[in-house]
């Protein structure tokens, strides 16, 4: 099975926000999980540099656009590793490999007769980097998202004949009911297409920052016509001497926010068809993580630096909070205090304590030796694993984590119900005590393997404390996976208390 997954490439007009960290972290959870299931995976992320807003910020700072982009690319490249995310490639749209591929790609669309010259006269929102119809603006001519004035543009541009693709896109949607998830986003994209498609400009005149069109070097590619192509271009040069297109195209799953649905679910498949490529296998559109009611956005200005939160709580805790605090796929309101609450009550108390008490009891009552015993396990972990895998196949990251947390809580309840400290008082209960302790270690091992995609840094610590193999293959999410071992010692706290109180926001 092949599984290629992408995040959008981020505009570099400012440093990363928590909203961008959200997309990257969740995408990493999805790809790690598929890798555990044995898929041949590729995870792409990166930055979108040729935007008008990037060019303007560079000008404001008195820098050449390329120099500005080179500087700001550094914190962007660091974002994924700081989040414990492991992309296979980090693309920059100023990479030579990308630039030459975009020219080739657009040339194919041109040769296919899908590109023509016309005059664009209309509005443009630099925040959205999007041409806007009058009806999309407020009465005062503001972009309703950025609340900034749209700019009037009148220039001779090259247009893509999107309207010619309406029928093909509709058939694609009809043939592939899972092309776009969740369902309500599929419906949104399909009705946009059914409502009639307008050709759009794929070039800009009068802006030197961008990729010149091969047949008209006086114009540069419109930033979206450049950026979307990254999903294919990266495959051609990510591994020198190797073309990954055969392996990973079209086995691609695009993860994106709802604000860029049209570009991905409508424009992009049409561009691919025009250039002679298969459309993507699947697109998952997620909602916004709202912090105390507002979207965290670079251009709106209310930012939370994800790196501050990582410094306080650690990357795993941040990943956990992002996956659990709001339902992935929907908008959700979270509060910064919520990270602390979940860190203390769920990560430290539910999971951390489960490990501490389990290891402490094996150490105290069995001198560190784990033996199977004959006691029935409290849960069918194989069934839980199948449920979690099915949810993650549908990108239900939050549902999967909720189900796993039920498992963590069930094991804690099992401790309370079985009260090993009582069993330990009477030698006649020895076999039962062995069985209960085994079930705890075994259940925690299975859960840890399943949680590893969410908590990649923590999972190996748990397995090591339980003296269990660090193999994360998904077939270890079942009952009876733990080995009989000796030498289990009381584990150190997984999520230590954080002092002094966090002042993150
Ligand atoms: N450069 C384009 C994407 C080009 S992809 C070919 C872009 N960049 S962006 O930096 O503005 O946004 C990137 C992604 O971050 C989008 O999917 C957007 O939805 C997401 N998010 C930004 N803030 C967010 C939240 N507060 N919550 C969830 N996602 C958010 O668009």
């Amino acid at each position: 099975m092949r599984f290629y997954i992408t995040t959008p490439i981020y505009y570099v007009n400012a440093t990363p926000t928590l909203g961008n960290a959200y997309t990257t972290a969740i995408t990493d959870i999805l790809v790690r999980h598929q890798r555990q299931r044995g898929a041949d995976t590729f995870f792409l992320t990166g930055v979108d540099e040729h935007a008008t807003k990037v060019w303007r910020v560079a000008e404001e700072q008195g820098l050449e656009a390329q120099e500005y982009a080179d500087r700001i690319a550094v914190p962007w490249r660091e974002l994924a590793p700081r989040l414990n995310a492991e992309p296979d490639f980090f693309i920059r749209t100023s990479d030579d490999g990308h630039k030459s591929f975009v020219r080739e790609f657009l040339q194919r669309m041109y040769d296919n007769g899908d590109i023509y010259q016309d005059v664009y006269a209309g509005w443009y929102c630099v925040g959205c980097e999007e041409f806007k119809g009058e009806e999309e603006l407020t009465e005062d001519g503001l972009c309703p998202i950025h609340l900034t004035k749209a700019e009037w543009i009148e220039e001779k541009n090259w247009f893509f004949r999107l309207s010619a693709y309406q029928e093909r896109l509709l058939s694609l949607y009809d043939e592939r009911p899972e092309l776009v998830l969740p369902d309500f986003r599929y419906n949104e994209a399909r009705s946009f297409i059914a409502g009639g498609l307008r050709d759009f400009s794929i070039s800009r005149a009068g802006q030197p920052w961008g990729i010149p069109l091969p047949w008209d070097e006086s114009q540069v590619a419109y930033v979206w016509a450049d950026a979307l192509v990254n999903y294919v271009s990266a495959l051609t040069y990510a591994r020198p001497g190797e073309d990954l297109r055969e392996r990973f195209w079209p086995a691609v799953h695009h993860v994106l926010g709802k604000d860029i649905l049209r570009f991905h679910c409508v424009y992009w498949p049409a561009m691919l068809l025009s250039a002679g490529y298969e459309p993507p296998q699947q697109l998952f559109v997620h909602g916004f993580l709202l912090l105390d009611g507002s979207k965290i956005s670079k251009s709106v200005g209310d930012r939370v630096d994800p790196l501050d939160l990582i410094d306080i709580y650690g990357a795993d805790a941040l990943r956990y909070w992002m996956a659990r605090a709001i339902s992935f796929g929907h908008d959700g309101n979270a509060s910064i205090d919520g990270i602390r609450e979940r860190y203390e009550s769920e990560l430290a108390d539910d999971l951390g304590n489960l490990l501490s008490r389990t290891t402490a009891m094996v150490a105290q009552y069995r001198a560190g030796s784990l033996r199977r015993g004959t006691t029935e396990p409290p849960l069918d972990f194989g069934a839980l694993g199948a449920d979690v895998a099915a949810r993650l196949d549908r990108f239900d990251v939050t549902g999967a984590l909720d189900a796993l947390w039920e498992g963590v809580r069930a094991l804690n309840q099992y401790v309370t119900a079985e009260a090993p400290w009582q069993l330990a008082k009477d030698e006649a209960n020895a076999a039962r005590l062995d069985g209960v302790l085994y079930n705890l270690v075994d259940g925690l091992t299975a859960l840890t393997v399943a949680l590893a995609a969410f908590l990649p840094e923590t999972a190996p610590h748990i397995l090591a404390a339980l003296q269990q193999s660090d193999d994360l293959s998904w077939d270890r999410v079942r009952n009876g996976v733990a080995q009989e071992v000796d030498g289990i010692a009381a584990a150190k706290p997984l999520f230590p208390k954080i002092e002094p109180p966090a002042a993150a926001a």
Side-chain angles (χ1 to χ4, degrees):
M1 199 182 71
R2 305 254 155 91
F3 188 86
Y4 168 31
I5 195 164
T6 65
T7 70
I9 49 173
Y10 304 108
Y11 288 131
V12 291
N13 53 313
T15 49
T17 66
L18 194 59
N20 309 131
Y22 178 71
T23 312
T24 300
I26 303 259
T27 307
D28 185 69
I29 291 170
L30 290 162
V31 75
R32 280 180 188 270
H33 170 76
Q34 294 295 338
R35 207 180 303 142
Q36 287 183 265
R37 303 244 305 270
D40 178 18
T41 62
F42 196 80
F43 171 16
L44 178 70
T45 189
V47 286
D48 187 353
E49 303 182 18
H50 297 130
T52 305
K53 56 184 163 186
V54 172
W55 182 52
R56 288 196 184 158
V57 173
E59 277 211 316
E60 276 163 26
Q61 299 191 5
L63 293 172
E64 287 296 322
Q66 190 61 60
E67 191 188 347
Y68 165 80
D70 290 346
R71 288 190 194 180
I72 199 157
V74 175
W76 280 97
R77 196 185 286 278
E78 283 166 0
L79 175 69
R82 290 294 304 274
L83 286 164
N84 289 340
E86 279 178 356
D88 293 286
F89 190 61
F90 181 88
I91 189 169
R92 294 184 55 186
T93 52
S94 61
D95 291 344
D96 287 340
H98 174 74
K99 288 195 284 196
S100 56
F101 187 85
V102 166
R103 285 161 63 90
E104 217 177 279
F105 189 95
L106 296 177
Q107 183 71 50
R108 289 171 70 128
M109 293 169 66
Y110 183 86
D111 293 344
N112 201 15
D114 284 333
I115 290 181
Y116 62 94
Q117 204 166 30
D118 205 346
V119 172
Y120 179 81
W123 299 101
Y124 190 82
C125 168
V126 175
C128 298
E129 294 290 355
E130 191 173 355
F131 300 98
K132 300 272 182 186
E134 191 103 30
E135 70 292 349
E136 292 176 90
L137 303 175
T138 67
E139 276 182 8
D140 308 326
L142 303 183
C143 160
I145 301 166
H146 293 92
L147 300 177
T148 48
K149 203 142 180 56
E151 298 176 15
W152 181 258
I153 289 182
E154 206 163 327
E155 55 186 40
K156 215 172 189 188
N157 284 163
W158 293 94
F159 281 70
F160 171 49
R161 225 178 278 285
L162 179 66
S163 55
Y165 284 85
Q166 178 167 3
E167 289 313 314
R168 285 170 76 182
L169 288 177
L170 285 176
S171 331
L172 175 71
Y173 271 73
D174 292 341
E175 282 157 24
R176 310 237 310 252
E178 302 216 322
L179 177 69
V180 176
L181 291 177
D183 295 346
F184 67 100
R185 296 295 179 197
Y186 170 97
N187 294 334
E188 184 182 334
R190 196 187 178 288
S191 20
F192 180 78
I193 300 166
L197 295 177
R198 263 192 298 187
D199 297 350
F200 70 95
S201 163
I202 55 122
S203 72
R204 294 297 312 275
Q207 179 181 305
W209 178 233
I211 304 176
L213 298 182
W215 64 88
D216 176 2
E217 303 251 341
S218 73
Q219 304 236 345
V220 295
Y222 165 46
V223 65
W224 276 98
D226 158 349
L228 286 163
V229 180
N230 92 90
Y231 299 133
V232 186
S233 76
L235 298 178
T236 64
Y237 68 96
R239 298 285 173 269
E242 214 182 325
D243 187 340
L244 298 170
R245 279 178 293 183
E246 243 177 59
R247 201 161 129 209
F248 290 116
W249 198 270
V252 67
H253 303 261
H254 296 306
V255 176
L256 54 129
K258 64 175 186 178
D259 52 333
I260 51 179
L261 174 142
R262 267 184 220 175
F263 290 107
H264 282 82
C265 302
V266 183
Y267 295 13
W268 177 228
M271 287 170 65
L272 283 162
L273 291 170
S274 170
Y277 282 88
E278 291 282 323
Q281 185 171 324
Q282 199 162 53
L283 301 110
F284 188 92
V285 185
H286 65 74
F288 286 146
L289 171 67
L290 306 169
L291 262 199
D292 303 316
S294 66
K295 177 175 180 264
I296 321 129
S297 136
K298 293 190 278 282
S299 4
V300 175
D302 47 352
R303 338 167 9 86
V304 174
D305 192 332
L307 301 184
D308 289 345
L309 294 170
I310 294 172
D311 287 344
I312 300 169
Y313 299 102
D316 276 10
L318 187 64
R319 293 164 68 100
Y320 176 85
W321 171 75
M322 291 194 285
R324 195 150 151 94
I326 71 164
S327 176
F328 186 61
H330 299 269
D331 283 346
N333 201 7
S335 83
I336 285 284
D337 293 341
I339 306 185
R340 188 179 183 83
E341 283 156 23
R342 287 191 190 269
Y343 181 95
E344 287 174 354
S345 70
E346 297 176 5
L347 291 170
D349 286 356
D350 294 342
L351 182 62
N353 275 348
L354 178 61
L355 176 70
S356 308
R357 58 213 295 222
T358 300
T359 51
M361 290 188 296
V362 178
Q364 187 180 343
Y365 305 137
R366 286 292 176 264
S369 297
L370 187 70
R371 294 295 174 262
R372 276 182 190 265
T374 50
T375 322
E376 277 298 300
L379 261 187
D380 179 345
F381 286 100
L384 177 63
D387 176 41
V388 167
R391 286 174 190 272
L392 288 172
D393 279 342
R394 290 191 59 82
F395 295 71
D396 179 10
V397 174
T398 309
L401 185 52
D402 288 350
L404 288 169
W405 222 254
E406 289 299 310
V408 171
R409 289 184 172 153
L411 283 185
N412 276 316
Q413 283 155 12
Y414 181 65
V415 177
T416 315
E418 292 293 333
W421 47 91
Q422 295 293 354
L423 297 175
K425 286 183 183 157
D426 186 347
E427 202 36 42
N429 296 326
R432 183 174 180 90
L433 179 60
D434 272 339
V436 170
L437 294 175
Y438 178 83
N439 286 339
L440 286 171
V441 171
D442 188 50
L444 187 50
T445 300
L447 283 172
T448 301
V449 172
L451 282 168
F454 297 87
L455 305 172
E457 189 180 336
T458 309
H461 291 301
I462 302 179
L463 295 172
L466 297 174
Q467 306 273 348
Q468 299 300 317
S469 154
D470 59 4
D471 174 6
L472 297 177
S473 320
W474 193 255
D475 59 14
R476 290 181 14 98
V477 185
R478 60 176 169 83
N479 297 98
V481 71
Q483 300 294 315
E484 296 190 334
V485 289
D486 299 309
I488 293 180
K492 288 204 210 76
L494 276 183
F495 296 95
K497 261 211 156 342
I498 289 169
E499 311 284 354

